[in-house]
Amino acid sequence: MQIPYTVTTRPDTGLHNAKLGIWLFLASEVMLFGSLFSAYILLRVAAVEWPHGSQLLNVPLAFINTVILIGSSVTMVLSWASLKMKDFAKYRRYMGLTILCGFGFLVVKAFEYGAKFSHGLSPAEDLFYATYFTLTGLHGLHVIGGIIVNTYFWGPGSRMWDTEPERFTNRVEVAGLYWHFVDLVWIFLFPTLYLL
Amino acid sequence: MLDFLGLPPDASAHGADIDNMIGVVHWLMFALFIGWGIFFTYVLIRFRRTRHQKADYQGAKTHASTYLEIAVAVFEGILIIGFAVPLWAQRVNEFPEDKDAIVVRVVAEQFAWNVHYPGADGFFGATDVNLVSADNPIGLDRSDPDGKDDIVTINQLVVPVGKPVIVRLTSKDVIHSFSIPLLRVKQDVIPGQVIPVWFEPIETTEHIRVAMTKTYSLINPGVNLMTMMTMQDYVDKDSVVIVPAGSILFPDVVEQLVASGYTEVRAAPETPMEIACAQLCGLGHYRMRGFVSVKTPEAYEAWLAEEALYLQ
Amino acid sequence: MQHVAAATPAAAGTHHEEHAGFWRTYVFSLDHKVIGIQYMMTALLFLFLGFTLMMLMRWQIAYPTKGIPGEWFALLPAVIGVAALAVGVYSKRRLTLLVGLLFGGIAWLVWWMVSDEVLFPEGIMLPELYNSFGAMHGTIMIFLGVVPLAVGGFGNYVVPLQVGAPDMAFPKLNMMSYWSYFVGGLVMLTSFFVPGGAANSGWTSYPPLADIATTGQTVWLFGMVFLITSSLLGSVNFIVTIVQLRAKGLTFMRLPFFVWAQFVTSFLLLLAFPPLEGAAILQLMDRLAGTSFFLPSGLVISGQVLDVAGGGSPLLWQHLFWFLAHPEVYVLILPAMGIVAEIIANNTRKPLWGYRSLVYASIFLGFMSFIVWAHHMFMTGMGTVISTFFQTTTMIISIPSVIILSALIISLWGGSIRYTVPMLFAIAFLPMFGIGGLTGLPLGLAPTDIHLHDTYYVIGHFHYVVAPGTIFALFAGIYYWYPKVTGRMMNETLGKIHFWGSLVCMNGIFFPMLIQGLAGVSRRLYDGGAQYAHAQNVLQWNEVMSISAWALALFQIPFILNFFWSMKKGRQVESDNPWGATTLEWQTPTPPPHGNFTSIPEVYRGPYEYSVPDAAKDYTPQNVP
Amino acid sequence: MEHASQDEIRKHVRTYVLVFVALLGLTVITVAVSYMHLSIVPAVIVALFIASIKGGLVASYFMHLISEKKLVYVTLLLTVVFFIALISLPLLGYHDTID
Ligand code: HEA
Ligand code: HEA
Ligand code: CUA
Ligand SMILES: [Cu+2]
C-alpha cells in the first residue's frame, strides 16, 4: 500500500501531505523565533540603557542584504512558477539565482561579522551584541539550511522532474515556503536590530 | 482538619488565613475524592462481569456530572475571588509603612543568609560588590555614614514579637528561596532584583519551642536527636543533674542518658523557627539553613544594643 | 479480515521487506511499527535507568549518614542483563541479546558511578552527585522515558493503525525522529562521564546556577536540542498522519480517543517545544560565548565578582522553560488518558460515556495549557494582576481534567467489567490521577502555594500524576497492545503480581510525600531534611518511602520476565482480535504486515460500538459495514 | 494553487514582480524613516508597521497564504495566539512585580 496524498491533495483538506507538514514546521519556527524576540523585548525593556542599532551596526550592508534576500524570494517563487509552466531550463536558472543570492547574503554577513570581530566585538561584549549575534546567527543557520535544500533540488534532486514532475513541483513549492519564511524573519530582524 | 493535615505550628499574624485556605481547599479535595471514590468502588463491584453479563449500550443517562463540574467551577471561583486574590493582595500590596515596621535586608549567597540591619540611625549603608570579602560578606561600605552602625549577622534573623517585619531580599549569586515554614513565608530570592516580603510574628521562638515539646524515645527516636534540646533537667540516681534543661542531644549526651537508665526524653527543637532555602542553589542547598529568633521587644532591644557594642 | 496465520513475529514485518536485510528491517527501518518498537525498548531502558538513579538517591535520603552499598543497586540490572544474554544466546535472538547488553550496560554504568572513588569517595554520595542524579532522574524520566514511550512508542505503533493508514505520512522523518532521540539519549548518558559529572541544576536548569554549573550542563543542553528536534519531527508527522491519512469514512468524531489525545499532544509538542529550544540556545550562548542573557550585573560567585557584561534576567529563562514545561506535563498525561480510554471501553464492553465531551475537553485542555505556565513561578515576586491571571487560568484548566476523569469513571457504569491486567492498570489510573490532580489545586492558588511551593508536596503531586498515573497507563498499554505486536499474550498471573505490588508500593512512596510537604519539608534536600526542626516529625517517613521504592523495583521483575518470556513462550493469540476490540488496529493481521492493511480499510461507525443492541457479537468493528 | 492553469501562472508572475517592487520600496522607506531619528515609541511603531506590511506581502503572495486552506489558517491562528502570549505575559510579569 502506498502512502496516499503525497502528490494529489486530499479532497476534504485540500492539501497534500508535505504542504501541511511544512506549514506545521513553520508554525514551530514562528514559536522558536518568537521566543527569541520575546527574550529580546524583555531584556530591552528591562535594560537601563540600550544602544541604537544604527549607531553600532552597518545599516548599508544590512540594507543590501535585505534586497538580496527579497530578490532571492522572488527568484524562488519564479522558479516554482517556471515548473508550473513546464519550463525546466528556466527553473534551473531561477533556482540557481536563488542559491547565489543565498550565498551572497552569507558573504555580506561574513563581512559584517568579520568587521565586528576585528574590533574585538563579540557576543560577550554586552546584551546588545549578544542578541545581535544570536538572532542573526540563528537566522544565518536557517539560510545555510535553505541553501543546502535548494542546491539539492537544483542538482541531484531535480532528476525527479523526469519521473514525477508534479511531485517535484510540490517539493519545490515546499522548499520555497521555507525560503520565504527565512526571508520573512529577516524582514523583522532588520528593523529591530539595525534601525531601532 | 488543620491538625489532620499536620501543618507546622503557625507563628505569624497572616498564617492563620493561609492555613484556613489550605484547609478549605483540602475539604474540597476530600469531598471530591471521597464522593467519586464511593461511586467508583460501587461501580467496580456492581458491574463486574460475573454479576453483569451483558453491558448496557447506553450506559449512564445522567447530567449529574455536568452539575458537579459546574459546582467545582463555582467553588474554584469562590476560592479565587474570596480567598486567593485578597490574601495575595495583602501579602504583596499592603506592606506596612517602613516606619511602623522592622526593616532588614537579607542577602542570600551560596550557602548562607546574610542579614543586614540598618542600626540605630535607621539607614542602610551603601554596599558595593567590590568590597565583598570574607569578613564583609555583603560588601558593606563602612565609610558611608549610614553604614557605620549597621549590624550584619550570618544566618541569624532576630526580630521582636508583635511588630511587622519587612525583609528586602536579594542574592549575590544564584536564585535561592527564603522560606520560613513556621511563619508561612516564602519568597524566591533573585539576583539582580530586590524583592520585599513581610510578616508579623505573634509568638516568640521560646514559646513555640515549649509548645513543640514532645517525648521522644531515646532508643528509636525517629528524629534526628542532634537537632533537639532537652526541656527539663535529667538527674542520675543520686539526683545529680547530669543533663540540664536546654542541652543539645548529641550522641554522647544520649549515651549518658541511656546509661543512667532513661529510655525517653522530653525535648523540643533547638531552633524551631528556621529559614529553609527552598530553591536548588548548588551542592550546599540542603544545609543553607538560617535561624529566626523572635524575641520579646525588650530582649530584642537588648540584643541590638549588644550587637552595637561589638561594632566598637 | 481475520488473519491468524501470520502470527509469528519473525514471519511478519519482513513480509514485504524480504530483501531488505537486517539493518534496513530492524535498525534503520522506515516502518512505523519497527520504529515504534525501537522507541519503546529504548524508552523502557531509560525508565529503568531513571528509576535506578532514584533508588540510589532514596538510600541517601533515608540513611544520610550511612555509606551507600552502591554495588547492590547494580545487581538488579546485572541479573536482568545476564539473564537476557543467556536467553539470547540460547534462542539466537539478536534483539534479546541487545537488551541483555543494554541492561549489562546500565549495570556497568551504575557500578562505575558508585565504585569510582572520584564520584563516591568512601562509598559516600556527595551532594553534587545527589544533585546530578536528581536532575538526570527528572530529565530521563520525562524526556527520555515517558514522552518517547507514550508518543514515540505507542503513538507510532498505534496511531497509523487506528486511522487506517499504511504508515506515517513521512517515514523518513519518522526514522530521523527516532535517531535524533537516540543521539539525544546518548549525549545525555555521556554527560555522566564528563568532568564534574552530569547536569546538576535540577531538570529545570534555572540560571544563574545552571549558567555557572559544570560542563555536564552544556552536554545537557546539547542533548535537549536533539530531543527537541526529535519531538518536533515527530509531532509534524503525527498531525499530518492524523489529518491526511485517515481512512475513508473515518471522520474526526469517529477517531478513537487515543488518536485525539495524540493529536492534541502533537500540537503541544509542536508549539511549546521551540521556546525551550530558544532558551537552550541562549543558555548555550551564556555558557560558551560568554553572553549574559540570564546573568544580571554584579554577581559575586564564591567571593569573586563574576566577569560578564551582565544586564540579563534570570526570570527570562523561567518563562521560556515553563512555557514548554507546563504543556509538557499534559504531554505526559494526555496519551495516558487516551490509553486508559481505549482499555476502559474495551473492558467494559460498552461505548465511552461522553465521547464528545472527552474530545472537546482535551482540545480545551491543550489550548489552556499554553497560558498557565507561570503558576510554577508564583514565588518569584508576582504582583496581584499577573498572579490572579495565572491562578484563574490554572483553576480553569482543572475543569477539563475533571470532565475527562468524570467521563471515564461514568463510562464504567452499566458495563460488564472484565478485570484483565490492562484493565486493572487502567482503572487504578483513575483514583491515582485523581489524587495527583486534586493536589494540584492548592498549588494552583498562590497563597496556599506559599506554604507548599518547592516542598515535597509538589513532588507528591506530580508523581501521583506521572508515576501511578502515566506509568500505570503505559503499563496498561503494554499489556493491552502486546498481543498485537507479538501475536502472544502476556501472562496474567505475573501481570497481577506486578499490578498489586506496584499499586501498594507507589502509594507507599508518594503518599508520605504529601505529608512531608504539608509539614514544610523542602525538596531537593541531599539529607532528606535531617537537619531541619520542622522536618523532624515526618522524618521517619523517609525510610518507609525508600523501602517502598526498592520494593517497587522488585515488583518490576515479574513484569520484565513476563515481557521477554512471553515474546517466545506466551500463549498464542487465537485470533487477530483477542480482546474483541472495535478499533482498526485489531482488524489487521497479527502482527500487521508492512503496509499494515491487506485491503484498504473503510470506516462505517464510531470507535466504541460495543454491545450494540441486536448485534450478533458484543463488539462491532469500525470497518464492518 | 494546485490546479492553476498556465495563464493564471503568468498572471501570478506579474504579481510577484509587483510585490518585489513594493518590498524594495518599503525597505527604502524604513531605512529612510530610521534616519529621521524619531523618538523610540513612534520609531518602533513605524518600523514594525512597515515590517508587518512587508511580511504580509511575502506571506500572502510568495507563500500564497491569501488563498490557502482553512486548516492552515487555523494552525497559524493558534500559533499567533500563543506567540502573543509568549511575548506579552512575560512582559506583564516584568511590569507587575512586588516592590
Ligand atoms: C502529568 C503531569 C501533570 C499533570 C496532569 C498536572 C496537573 C496539574 N498541576 Fe501539576 N505539576 C507537574 C505535573 C503535572 N501536573 C509537575 C512535573 C510539576 C513540578 C515541576 C517541578 O517544579 O519540578 C507540577 C507542579 C505544579 C505546580 C507548581 C507547584 C509549585 O512549584 O509550587 C502547580 C501550581 O499550580 C500545579 C498545578 C496543577 C494543576 C492545577 C493541575 C490540574 O490539571 C489537575 C486537574 C485534575 C483534577 C482536579 C483531578 C480531578 C479529580 C477527580 C474528578 C476526582 C477523582 C477521584 C476518584 C477517581 C476517586 N502543578
Ligand atoms: C515522568 C516523570 C517521572 C517519573 C515516572 C518518576 C518516577 C519516580 N520518581 Fe521522580 N521526579 C521527576 C519525574 C519523574 N519521577 C522529576 C521531574 C523530578 C524533579 C527533579 C528535580 O528536582 O529537578 C523528580 C524527583 C523525584 C524525587 C525528589 C528528589 C528530590 O527532590 O531531591 C523523588 C524522591 O523520592 C523521586 C522518586 C521517584 C520514584 C520512586 C519514582 C518511581 O515511580 C519510578 C517507577 C519507575 C518505574 C516503575 C519504571 C519501570 C520500568 C521498567 C521496570 C523497565 C522495564 C524494562 C524493560 C521491559 C526493557 N522523584
Ligand atoms: Cu540556597 Cu537553596
Ligand atoms: Cu504546571
Side-chain angles (χ1 to χ4, degrees):
Chain A
M1 251 166 90
Q2 284 296 315
I3 295 167
Y5 310 120
T6 46
V7 185
T8 51
T9 57
R10 184 179 163 112
D12 56 351
T13 59
L15 296 166
H16 59 83
N17 297 345
K19 184 78 161 284
L20 180 58
I22 191 72
W23 275 112
L24 290 167
F25 175 72
L26 292 184
S28 85
E29 291 279 272
V30 170
M31 295 309 283
L32 174 62
F33 281 100
S35 67
L36 295 181
F37 271 105
S38 176
Y40 168 83
I41 295 173
L42 193 75
L43 291 173
R44 182 159 184 176
V45 167
V48 189
E49 53 178 348
W50 193 272
H52 198 277
S54 60
Q55 283 154 4
L56 300 178
L57 303 177
N58 192 329
V59 178
L61 276 190
F63 174 75
I64 295 172
N65 251 350
T66 311
V67 174
I68 293 181
L69 218 48
I70 293 177
S72 79
S73 243
V74 186
T75 54
M76 185 82 205
V77 75
L78 289 178
S79 77
W80 167 78
S82 314
L83 281 184
K84 275 277 177 194
M85 294 188 284
K86 309 266 183 295
D87 189 341
F88 186 71
K90 221 166 163 192
Y91 157 76
R92 282 292 283 269
R93 227 163 32 239
Y94 280 127
M95 193 53 133
L97 267 178
T98 313
I99 296 165
L100 284 182
C101 284
F103 276 115
F105 179 88
L106 289 180
V107 170
V108 174
K109 195 93 254 164
F111 275 112
E112 233 188 292
Y113 275 20
K116 290 286 168 283
F117 285 132
S118 66
H119 286 88
L121 295 168
S122 72
E125 180 68 18
D126 61 16
L127 272 183
F128 174 80
Y129 282 106
T131 36
Y132 162 75
F133 277 109
T134 310
L135 280 165
T136 54
L138 189 67
H139 178 261
L141 286 179
H142 278 78
V143 173
I144 294 176
I147 292 179
I148 293 173
V149 172
N150 290 346
T151 311
Y152 174 74
F153 287 136
W154 180 80
S158 67
R159 254 171 295 171
M160 193 186 234
W161 175 253
D162 302 327
T163 50
E164 295 175 87
E166 281 209 38
R167 189 159 182 203
F168 182 65
T169 316
N170 284 347
R171 286 192 166 189
V172 172
E173 182 185 11
V174 165
L177 285 173
Y178 171 79
W179 189 255
H180 301 312
F181 175 79
V182 174
D183 181 20
L184 209 151
V185 171
W186 180 257
I187 287 179
F188 282 93
L189 278 183
F190 172 52
T192 18
L193 291 178
Y194 290 83
L195 303 181
L196 291 176
Chain B
M1 183 59 148
L2 290 179
D3 290 342
F4 181 70
L5 290 177
L7 295 169
D10 159 40
S12 70
H14 72 277
D17 292 339
I18 291 185
D19 290 1
N20 265 332
M21 193 173 156
I22 295 182
V24 172
V25 183
H26 278 83
W27 273 120
L28 169 72
M29 293 156 59
F30 277 115
L32 273 173
F33 189 75
I34 302 292
W36 276 118
I38 292 173
F39 177 80
F40 180 69
T41 323
Y42 172 77
V43 175
L44 289 185
I45 297 169
R46 164 84 175 68
F47 294 104
R48 63 185 192 275
R49 167 140 282 190
T50 41
R51 221 192 112 181
H52 197 245
Q53 286 290 336
K54 178 110 187 63
D56 171 10
Y57 181 72
Q58 291 292 329
K61 287 179 277 295
T62 167
H63 294 286
S65 68
T66 316
Y67 302 129
L68 185 85
E69 279 139 23
I70 293 172
V72 174
V74 169
F75 205 95
E76 289 180 348
I78 295 173
L79 276 173
I80 290 185
I81 299 166
F83 292 81
V85 177
L87 253 176
W88 189 255
Q90 186 222 348
R91 293 284 74 227
V92 305
N93 287 349
E94 291 153 31
F95 274 81
E97 295 288 321
D98 277 10
K99 62 176 168 25
D100 302 328
I102 307 287
V103 183
V104 299
R105 289 176 70 232
V106 166
V107 183
E109 71 175 64
Q110 288 174 325
F111 303 98
W113 304 97
N114 301 297
V115 185
H116 180 186
Y117 289 83
D121 64 355
F123 293 105
F124 289 106
T127 55
D128 181 351
V129 285
N130 295 311
L131 292 175
V132 171
S133 67
D135 41 43
N136 187 1
I138 63 169
L140 179 64
D141 183 359
R142 287 285 180 194
S143 63
D144 177 8
D146 291 341
K148 285 214 162 47
D149 59 352
D150 288 13
I151 296 166
V152 179
T153 66
I154 297 177
N155 289 332
Q156 299 292 339
L157 175 63
V158 182
V159 289
V161 70
K163 195 164 182 198
V165 180
I166 300 176
V167 182
R168 303 233 154 89
L169 291 161
T170 182
S171 166
K172 281 160 72 175
D173 38 40
V174 302
I175 300 179
H176 303 268
S177 190
F178 180 79
S179 162
I180 311 175
L182 269 64
L183 293 172
R184 306 294 188 268
V185 165
K186 186 173 289 146
Q187 175 58 56
D188 285 2
V189 188
I190 297 170
Q193 271 177 262
V194 179
I195 305 177
V197 63
W198 77 282
F199 54 87
E200 183 182 328
I202 52 173
E203 306 260 21
T204 59
T205 306
E206 195 49 53
H207 204 238
I208 289 277
R209 187 183 294 129
V210 173
M212 285 174 83
T213 307
K214 271 204 204 166
T215 306
Y216 293 96
S217 156
L218 283 169
I219 319 305
N220 186 11
V223 296
N224 183 353
L225 281 180
M226 282 191 281
T227 65
M228 300 280 171
M229 78 192 216
T230 51
M231 295 301 282
Q232 68 178 61
D233 292 345
Y234 285 91
V235 295
D236 65 5
K237 32 189 178 327
D238 311 321
S239 302
V240 180
V241 175
I242 45 166
V243 176
S247 315
I248 308 295
L249 286 161
F250 288 120
D252 55 319
V253 179
V254 175
E255 232 165 75
Q256 214 177 346
L257 284 172
V258 174
S260 313
Y262 288 100
T263 55
E264 289 179 337
V265 60
R266 299 266 309 153
E270 181 207 357
T271 50
M273 255 191 244
E274 297 159 314
I275 310 173
C277 181
Q279 183 64 261
L280 182 63
C281 51
L283 59 95
H285 162 64
Y286 72 102
R287 57 178 161 79
M288 183 161 164
R289 189 163 66 120
F291 308 99
V292 186
S293 168
V294 181
K295 295 183 185 289
T296 58
E298 304 78 47
Y300 175 68
E301 291 303 330
W303 176 80
L304 277 184
E306 191 189 330
E307 288 292 319
L309 223 58
Y310 286 130
L311 281 179
Q312 269 118 51
Chain C
M1 262 298 216
Q2 306 281 329
H3 300 267
V4 200
T8 51
T14 53
H15 190 64
H16 283 255
E17 285 192 9
E18 254 142 2
H19 311 290
F22 175 77
W23 288 97
R24 266 284 165 194
T25 316
Y26 293 109
V27 184
F28 295 106
S29 172
L30 297 178
D31 186 324
H32 74 100
K33 297 182 290 299
V34 178
I35 297 175
I37 294 170
Q38 289 174 328
Y39 257 119
M40 213 173 285
M41 298 306 291
T42 321
L44 279 168
L45 283 164
F46 274 118
L47 276 182
F48 190 88
L49 178 63
F51 191 15
T52 309
L53 295 180
M54 187 41 74
M55 284 194 275
L56 286 159
M57 290 170 72
R58 288 282 357 158
W59 179 280
Q60 176 60 35
I61 294 172
Y63 313 112
T65 50
K66 293 188 203 163
I68 294 193
E71 293 76 6
W72 283 96
F73 291 91
L75 195 62
L76 184 59
V79 169
I80 299 172
V82 169
L85 273 179
V87 174
V89 170
Y90 169 73
S91 64
K92 298 205 178 54
R93 286 188 51 86
R94 278 183 273 206
L95 188 65
T96 320
L97 273 177
L98 187 70
V99 170
L101 282 177
L102 289 170
F103 268 102
I106 293 182
W108 176 76
L109 186 73
V110 173
W111 177 273
W112 179 83
M113 286 190 295
V114 295
S115 61
D116 188 322
E117 284 289 302
V118 186
L119 281 183
F120 259 161
E122 286 151 45
I124 306 281
M125 177 189 266
L126 291 176
E128 298 89 314
L129 192 67
Y130 179 88
N131 286 350
S132 84
F133 278 13
M136 293 312 282
H137 163 77
T139 310
I140 288 177
M141 282 299 192
I142 291 184
F143 297 112
L144 293 164
V146 172
V147 176
L149 184 53
V151 181
F154 287 121
N156 246 311
Y157 199 96
V158 178
V159 166
L161 288 168
Q162 283 194 335
V163 300
D167 204 311
M168 294 287 274
F170 309 114
K172 288 211 187 84
L173 275 193
N174 206 14
M175 182 183 80
M176 276 157 63
S177 163
Y178 173 76
W179 286 104
S180 180
Y181 157 62
F182 189 83
V183 172
L186 277 188
V187 171
M188 288 289 182
L189 286 181
T190 331
S191 71
F192 282 106
F193 301 90
V194 300
N200 54 17
S201 312
W203 81 289
T204 49
S205 293
Y206 282 4
L209 184 63
D211 267 13
I212 59 173
T214 46
T215 324
Q217 183 66 24
T218 308
V219 184
W220 186 89
L221 290 163
F222 277 116
M224 284 311 290
V225 171
F226 280 103
L227 296 176
I228 295 171
T229 310
S230 159
S231 283
L232 289 179
L233 296 178
S235 56
V236 170
N237 218 341
F238 277 113
I239 298 175
V240 176
T241 305
I242 295 170
V243 171
Q244 293 284 99
L245 304 193
R246 271 170 299 127
K248 185 152 178 250
L250 188 55
T251 57
F252 271 101
M253 278 302 155
R254 283 179 179 172
L255 285 179
F257 183 63
F258 180 72
V259 177
W260 266 111
Q262 292 283 347
F263 189 58
V264 176
T265 302
S266 299
F267 269 102
L268 298 185
L269 289 173
L270 183 78
L271 299 178
F273 244 139
L276 184 63
E277 185 147 27
I281 293 171
L282 298 183
Q283 202 178 86
L284 275 173
M285 291 293 287
D286 273 7
R287 294 181 55 87
L288 298 178
T291 58
S292 44
F293 287 110
F294 303 126
L295 299 172
S297 316
L299 293 186
V300 184
I301 309 286
S302 32
Q304 296 293 310
V305 178
L306 193 68
D307 181 25
V308 294
S313 156
L315 287 184
L316 172 62
W317 168 270
Q318 297 193 16
H319 281 295
L320 296 179
F321 179 84
W322 289 115
F323 188 89
L324 157 84
H326 184 83
E328 178 77 10
V329 308
Y330 292 96
V331 169
L332 300 176
I333 206 69
L334 276 170
M337 289 169 162
I339 296 172
V340 169
E342 296 300 300
I343 292 170
I344 285 186
N346 180 263
N347 287 286
T348 53
R349 315 305 296 163
K350 61 180 278 298
L352 283 181
W353 187 87
Y355 170 80
R356 272 171 188 273
S357 58
L358 276 172
V359 169
Y360 293 136
S362 35
I363 296 174
F364 185 60
L365 189 76
F367 180 82
M368 289 302 292
S369 71
F370 282 91
I371 46 173
V372 302
W373 79 82
H375 65 207
H376 297 270
M377 301 166 60
F378 283 141
M379 297 306 129
T380 55
M382 284 189 182
T384 325
V385 179
I386 184 104
S387 80
T388 306
F389 177 85
F390 281 110
Q391 292 180 70
T392 312
T393 52
T394 304
M395 288 301 113
I396 292 176
I397 203 175
S398 70
I399 301 295
S401 305
V402 175
I403 295 178
I404 293 176
L405 216 59
S406 310
L408 291 176
I409 301 174
I410 298 176
S411 290
L412 299 170
W413 181 277
S416 170
I417 303 173
R418 40 177 214 210
Y419 290 100
T420 57
V421 177
M423 184 61 170
L424 287 176
F425 276 105
I427 46 186
F429 169 90
L430 301 173
M432 294 296 106
F433 174 76
I435 300 180
L438 290 172
T439 48
L441 299 179
L443 298 174
L445 295 161
T448 43
D449 195 39
I450 293 179
H451 185 59
L452 299 172
H453 174 66
D454 265 349
T455 63
Y456 262 93
Y457 197 87
V458 178
I459 304 282
H461 152 66
F462 75 78
H463 279 89
Y464 259 107
V465 259
V466 295
T470 303
I471 296 265
F472 270 20
L474 296 175
F475 282 144
I478 292 176
Y479 283 101
Y480 181 63
W481 278 303
Y482 193 89
K484 188 79 231 171
V485 180
T486 62
R488 289 168 190 274
M489 308 291 281
M490 284 176 86
N491 181 292
E492 286 270 316
T493 316
L494 286 177
K496 286 192 171 138
I497 299 175
H498 177 213
F499 169 73
W500 288 108
S502 300
L503 183 65
V504 172
C505 293
M506 286 280 190
N507 283 285
I509 307 170
F510 299 121
F511 202 81
M513 290 188 177
L514 301 174
I515 300 174
Q516 290 195 332
L518 282 165
V521 182
S522 297
R523 62 193 281 200
R524 294 163 164 169
L525 294 178
Y526 163 68
D527 60 359
Q531 306 176 39
Y532 282 106
H534 60 263
Q536 295 306 320
N537 289 326
V538 289
L539 217 53
Q540 71 278 15
W541 287 110
N542 277 338
E543 195 174 351
V544 176
M545 293 190 274
S546 297
I547 292 173
S548 302
W550 303 321
L552 177 65
L554 295 182
F555 279 113
Q556 302 313 306
I557 295 177
F559 169 68
I560 297 173
L561 285 179
N562 200 353
F563 190 85
F564 290 113
W565 181 81
S566 302
M567 279 185 196
K568 264 285 193 220
K569 302 279 163 166
R571 182 165 58 80
Q572 284 210 343
V573 291
E574 60 275 15
S575 85
D576 286 331
N577 191 354
W579 306 114
T582 51
T583 40
L584 287 182
E585 82 268 32
W586 300 101
Q587 323 306 331
T588 73
T590 301
H594 193 64
N596 290 348
F597 294 90
T598 39
S599 63
I600 296 174
E602 191 171 342
V603 169
Y604 299 94
R605 61 196 70 246
Y608 306 114
E609 293 298 284
Y610 289 102
S611 302
V612 181
D614 306 327
K617 287 181 290 185
D618 72 344
Y619 64 100
T620 321
Q622 286 189 280
N623 60 342
V624 170
Chain D
M1 259 328 93
E2 316 303 333
H3 304 290
S5 70
Q6 305 256 347
D7 271 350
E8 281 174 64
I9 297 288
R10 281 207 191 84
K11 247 183 260 157
H12 284 310
V13 169
R14 212 168 312 132
T15 325
Y16 298 147
V17 176
L18 281 179
V19 169
F20 175 56
V21 175
L23 287 173
L24 286 185
L26 286 167
T27 309
V28 174
I29 295 178
T30 352
V31 176
V33 169
S34 84
Y35 283 106
M36 286 164 54
H37 295 292
L38 297 174
S39 68
I40 188 73
V41 177
V44 170
I45 293 174
V46 172
L48 288 188
F49 181 69
I50 299 180
S52 304
I53 298 180
K54 287 166 68 183
L57 285 175
V58 171
S60 314
Y61 294 102
F62 291 172
M63 300 170 88
H64 310 309
L65 204 54
I66 205 151
S67 55
E68 204 34 279
K69 299 294 175 298
K70 196 170 130 222
L71 200 65
V72 174
Y73 288 150
V74 173
T75 311
L76 291 183
L77 191 73
L78 265 182
T79 314
V80 169
V81 171
F82 297 146
F83 179 87
I84 291 172
L86 176 60
I87 298 220
S88 57
L89 290 175
L91 261 189
L92 179 61
Y94 172 74
H95 284 293
D96 187 30
T97 40
I98 315 174
D99 45 14

